[in-house]
Amino acid sequence: MEVEVNSSVQPDDTFSATTKKRQSWQSFAEYTIVRVNVGACIFYLLSFLAYMQHVEWREKSDHRHWAALVGSFAAASLAVLCKETAITALVICALYDILKALSGFHDKMLDNDFWGTPLTDSGSHGSFRPLCVLSFRLNHLLGGFRPFGYHLTNVLLHAVATGLVLKLARQLLAPGWGPAVTGALFAAHPIHTEAVASVVGRAV
């Protein structure tokens, strides 16, 4: 009796797509964080060099010192963005491990778009928002489908955003009513209704 062997299956194919999806998130964090931190260091260095050039040209009354200052600010901004990306990656990985340990959480969050359709599907919306979906998972873990927790999270996030806007306004505007009006306008502006009142609006 002859047994037909499927030659399309290779012995080295044990590291399948399923295995890849279950790779350690610590490895992913290290992969991401190391590279963005290197990028941050490079941008910090460029920012420093551009600022030194700004100082030199300003002493010589060279009008190009403004361009150097803008370049220094842009490089510093990119460095901060790299650092924030590293922190975000670390937070996502940590929360992922916590939820997986507590509730059997699986990695479909990284396979599907915001609406639950596989990203590889032709009908996918393409909206990849893993941190937002992760916050919904955490809400469900703590309170199931009771709406109070979801709405409370939206309100708290909006309060944090309002506080940051108020802090920025105090740095940019003169002391007085300006920062308070700015914070109040941001907090109560109708354009934020969907993002706060609607649970799914958290992704906005």
Side-chain angles (χ1 to χ4, degrees), residues 46-123:
L46 292 175
S47 175
F48 174 76
L49 294 175
Y51 184 78
M52 295 303 295
Q53 188 64 60
H54 156 73
V55 172
E56 179 183 345
W57 281 341
R58 185 180 59 183
E59 292 176 350
K60 296 179 179 179
S61 299
D62 191 328
H63 68 277
R64 291 180 297 173
H65 75 91
W66 288 112
L69 183 61
V70 171
S72 176
F73 178 77
S77 300
L78 290 172
V80 171
L81 179 62
C82 287
K83 296 295 290 186
E84 291 299 324
T85 302
I87 294 173
T88 301
L90 185 60
V91 170
I92 290 176
C93 295
L95 289 177
Y96 178 92
D97 286 338
I98 292 172
L99 292 178
K100 186 175 181 180
L102 294 179
S103 62
F105 180 67
H106 52 77
D107 57 1
K108 288 297 182 183
M109 181 189 74
L110 301 175
D111 296 336
N112 299 340
D113 62 20
F114 180 71
W115 302 104
T117 306
L119 289 168
T120 55
D121 192 285
S122 59

Side-chain angles (χ1 to χ4, degrees), residues 116-139:
T117 306
L119 289 168
T120 55
D121 192 285
S122 59
S124 172
H125 185 267
S127 51
F128 184 62
R129 294 163 181 161
L131 191 58
C132 181
V133 174
L134 191 58
S135 69
F136 285 134
R137 298 272 186 170
L138 185 58
N139 274 137

